[in-house]
Amino acid sequence: MKWLELLTVAGATLIAASTVVTLYALGVRLTAIAADAQQPSPGLKRSLAYLCFGLCGAAVLFGLYLIIPYFSK
Amino acid sequence: MVALVIALALFFDFTNGFHDTANAMATPIATGAIKPKTAVTLAALLNLVGAFLSTEVAKTVSGGIIREGTDGVQITPEIIFAGLMGAILWNMITWLKGLPSSSSHALFGGLIGAAIAGIGFGSVNLETLLQKVILPAIFAPLIAGLVAYVCTRLAYALTSRHDPETGSKLTQKRGGFRTGQIFTSSLVALAHGTNDAQKTMGIITLVLIAAGTQAPGTGPQFWVIAACALAIAIGTYSGGWRIIRTMGSGLTEVKPAQGFAAETSTASAILASSHLGFALSTTQVASGSVIGSGMGRKGTTVRWNMVGKIAIGWLFTLPAAGIVGALTALLVNTGVVGVLIAAIAGTGAVLFMFFYSRKSAVGHHNAVEVEEAGQAVRFAKKKAMARARAKAKAKAKAEASTKANATPQAEPESQTQAPADADATNSKETQR
């Protein structure tokens, strides 16, 4: 039985998914903070939010890279 | 016989497509991230692209479940024909019932049944069967469910904001997750295209090699790739709305943050499994994710009796497709007349199920109750203002960005769709 492979898959899934979700959720939170009325530096928060979304996008692109066999060879 | 098998294989590809639209697109449709028609168009395009992207073909589709080669048995076109028949019929039945079930398992079941009936019990490799089908079927939903649960918790914990003094809720802009859903669901659709169209290509190539029209050991010919890609794309576009309904609103109520968490878990699980060598079924991963995300949000209930129905569906996939496959194999073994009878009976059964489904048609207009969110945001703006001004604003913004993102792919679609949308909204209104 391939128990080790099963564990690896489970672990990789957990790490990948929680990374993406954490980044995106932080982005969402920062957007919400930037939109607050009495926010001293909305610009900074907003750019941080975009940074989070950008990292998230990079993670998705990495996923694409994995899917397409043309790249992985 | 070869032509018949190819036609049947392409039809299987078609059912595979419409059966699995739900995996990628049910949650974004349910949260209103993408309009139903746009969603299936997007999924169809990505499936089409995905099918072309990957040219690596599994040498045998059955992946060693059926013993083959010099010491085993030779898979004949007749057996493939019977196996496909079983898989297609089971796909149609589960579609009619709105159950998400694995198309690959149906195919395995059909082939196993056909092999047992056509060749004998010794032709099936039980250990491989356990390892490739049964164990993944147990673990796929468990892993995906657990990960989706954790992710949903994370997403809600990270975005929850309370005023430190008054303890009242601040704006959370969770609607922003909708935009993310578009990308994650697209990833799932693309992954599906690269995986599932391959199976049919493999089958057709196998048949061509068996018939002697193609040299052994060569890859699929271009027309095979093109035909499979088209078949799966058309299937995806026609949308298994019944299954989308089950996945989008039958299991649990899905909110954008949950949908995002579920889609991300599905995508990561599929990618991880296909790259680390423990193949998991897309459908089972996706269902598990939706259930897990349902458990992760406070105040959501998971409809466990629906979960039970789906689980029973999974249990029956292998034997049911196997029995049909076996019966067909017995018929086919009797000769040309048997093949004709099997083909006619199969077509008849498919047509019957199709017309039976018309009695209670489920289409893009009524697939998911919340589906209106995509269109409803327009009038919900007024309604929601009464409830929560801030929430409505976030929604509108998400909608705007969603539209900006979605329009490029959907341009030809949106023009023809406008009247249909109006229709859908109207009928919804009258229903209320």
Side-chain angles (χ1 to χ4, degrees):
Chain A
M1 251 346 97
K2 303 175 172 179
W3 294 114
L4 191 66
E5 284 179 23
L6 181 70
L7 268 180
T8 326
V9 168
T13 307
L14 185 63
I15 291 167
S18 49
T19 312
V20 171
V21 168
T22 307
L23 280 173
Y24 200 89
L26 277 178
V28 167
R29 188 186 176 108
L30 284 166
T31 329
I33 291 175
D36 275 353
Q38 65 279 38
Q39 176 60 43
S41 57
L44 176 70
K45 300 280 156 43
R46 197 161 286 278
S47 31
L48 274 177
Y50 286 134
L51 180 70
C52 283
F53 289 138
L55 282 175
C56 200
V60 173
L61 284 181
F62 179 67
L64 277 182
Y65 168 82
L66 284 183
I67 294 182
I68 305 171
Y70 180 76
F71 294 128
S72 31
K73 266 186 211 156
Chain B
M1 192 68 206
V2 172
L4 201 59
V5 175
I6 290 174
L8 209 58
L10 287 178
F11 187 70
F12 169 74
D13 210 17
F14 173 83
T15 62
N16 190 349
F18 82 67
H19 218 271
D20 292 0
T21 324
N23 295 337
M25 290 305 171
T27 51
I29 288 174
T31 59
I34 319 179
K35 281 188 192 171
K37 276 243 160 181
T38 318
V40 291
T41 315
L42 181 64
L45 282 176
L46 288 169
N47 264 311
L48 188 69
V49 173
F52 276 109
L53 278 181
S54 174
T55 48
E56 216 174 299
V57 183
K59 278 264 148 55
T60 90
V61 183
S62 51
I65 289 175
I66 296 170
R67 289 202 184 101
E68 47 195 320
T70 43
D71 54 333
V73 291
Q74 200 66 47
I75 296 187
T76 58
E78 281 76 16
I79 287 182
I80 296 174
F81 173 84
L84 282 170
M85 197 61 108
I88 289 173
L89 285 183
W90 181 249
N91 266 356
M92 291 297 284
I93 292 170
T94 45
W95 163 71
L96 203 59
K97 292 267 167 209
L99 295 177
S101 73
S102 169
S103 301
S104 1
H105 286 190
L107 186 59
F108 289 155
L111 285 174
I112 291 169
I116 290 178
I119 300 164
F121 232 100
S123 59
V124 177
N125 196 340
L126 274 181
E127 198 191 326
T128 323
L129 175 69
L130 187 71
Q131 191 163 325
K132 288 218 172 181
V133 182
I134 295 170
L135 278 181
I138 298 168
F139 285 109
L142 275 183
I143 293 175
L146 189 76
V147 172
Y149 173 81
V150 172
C151 286
T152 312
R153 273 303 184 73
L154 255 177
Y156 275 96
L158 282 171
T159 52
S160 114
R161 298 177 69 221
H162 292 279
D163 198 301
E165 283 152 33
T166 58
S168 60
K169 277 188 180 172
L170 294 169
T171 46
Q172 299 172 322
K173 294 210 178 264
R174 279 186 187 140
F177 280 110
R178 285 206 182 92
T179 321
Q181 273 192 287
I182 297 172
F183 295 103
T184 47
S185 60
S186 302
L187 200 60
V188 176
L190 195 66
H192 181 256
T194 51
N195 284 327
D196 280 31
Q198 292 295 307
K199 287 176 209 149
T200 318
M201 289 179 209
I203 290 183
I204 295 180
T205 308
L206 204 67
V207 171
L208 286 176
I209 291 173
T213 49
Q214 194 178 337
T218 51
Q221 290 163 9
F222 181 75
W223 68 266
V224 176
I225 301 177
C228 289
L230 267 179
I232 204 164
I234 295 169
T236 309
Y237 180 69
S238 53
W241 296 109
R242 287 162 187 273
I243 301 172
I244 290 178
R245 173 191 269 178
T246 306
M247 295 273 280
S249 63
L251 283 171
T252 180
E253 196 191 328
V254 187
K255 295 262 188 258
Q258 281 175 290
F260 182 78
E263 291 287 337
T264 314
S265 323
T266 310
S268 343
I270 294 169
L271 287 178
S273 71
S274 58
H275 275 267
L276 297 172
F278 198 93
L280 300 177
S281 152
T282 315
T283 310
Q284 291 169 344
V285 166
S287 319
S289 294
V290 172
I291 297 168
S293 75
M295 282 157 56
R297 186 170 73 92
K298 277 179 224 150
T300 325
T301 47
V302 174
R303 297 189 186 90
W304 287 110
N305 60 341
M306 181 52 102
V307 177
K309 266 193 213 167
I310 292 173
I312 290 173
W314 289 352
L315 275 183
F316 277 101
T317 299
L318 216 58
I323 289 169
V324 178
L327 288 178
T328 317
L330 288 179
L331 260 179
V332 167
N333 272 354
T334 58
V336 182
V337 186
V339 175
L340 274 180
I341 293 174
I344 290 167
T347 320
V350 168
L351 282 179
F352 170 75
M353 279 189 257
F354 178 72
F355 284 114
Y356 184 79
S357 78
R358 302 306 267 179
K359 272 207 251 170
S360 57
V362 179
H364 65 92
H365 50 88
N366 62 351
V368 179
E369 197 75 6
V370 215
E371 161 239 319
E372 254 71 29
Q375 310 143 4
V377 176
R378 258 181 275 130
F379 62 83
K381 260 187 230 159
K382 282 176 244 151
K383 245 199 260 172
M385 251 196 277
R387 270 183 304 173
R389 188 174 286 258
K391 243 187 188 174
K393 260 188 198 164
K395 248 190 202 172
K397 257 199 183 155
E399 176 71 3
S401 57
T402 304
K403 270 191 186 148
N405 279 321
T407 32
Q409 295 106 334
E411 232 150 26
E413 188 54 36
S414 56
Q415 283 158 3
T416 52
Q417 206 199 327
D421 266 2
D423 257 353
T425 326
N426 284 344
S427 63
K428 193 74 213 166
E429 226 91 272
T430 45
Q431 274 172 31
R432 280 185 192 131

